PDB file of all heavy atoms in Angstrom:
ATOM      1  N   ASP G  42     -13.237  -8.314 -10.918  1.00  0.00           N
ATOM      2  CA  ASP G  42     -13.002  -6.891 -10.647  1.00  0.00           C
ATOM      3  C   ASP G  42     -14.239  -6.049 -10.930  1.00  0.00           C
ATOM      4  O   ASP G  42     -14.501  -5.061 -10.239  1.00  0.00           O
ATOM      5  CB  ASP G  42     -11.819  -6.390 -11.479  1.00  0.00           C
ATOM      6  CG  ASP G  42     -10.478  -6.890 -10.948  1.00  0.00           C
ATOM      7  OD1 ASP G  42     -10.435  -7.340  -9.789  1.00  0.00           O
ATOM      8  OD2 ASP G  42      -9.485  -6.821 -11.687  1.00  0.00           O
ATOM      9  N   GLU G  57     -14.074   4.088  -1.706  1.00  0.00           N
ATOM     10  CA  GLU G  57     -12.961   4.624  -2.480  1.00  0.00           C
ATOM     11  C   GLU G  57     -11.721   3.744  -2.370  1.00  0.00           C
ATOM     12  O   GLU G  57     -10.968   3.599  -3.339  1.00  0.00           O
ATOM     13  CB  GLU G  57     -12.632   6.046  -2.017  1.00  0.00           C
ATOM     14  CG  GLU G  57     -13.735   7.057  -2.302  1.00  0.00           C
ATOM     15  CD  GLU G  57     -13.389   8.441  -1.813  1.00  0.00           C
ATOM     16  OE1 GLU G  57     -12.373   8.579  -1.084  1.00  0.00           O
ATOM     17  OE2 GLU G  57     -14.122   9.395  -2.153  1.00  0.00           O
ATOM     18  N   GLY G 124      -7.112  26.587 -26.871  1.00  0.00           N
ATOM     19  CA  GLY G 124      -7.511  27.855 -26.264  1.00  0.00           C
ATOM     20  C   GLY G 124      -6.367  28.837 -26.209  1.00  0.00           C
ATOM     21  O   GLY G 124      -5.366  28.724 -26.923  1.00  0.00           O
TER      22      GLY G 124
END
Side-chain angles (χ1 to χ4, degrees):
D42 286 343
E57 294 179 350

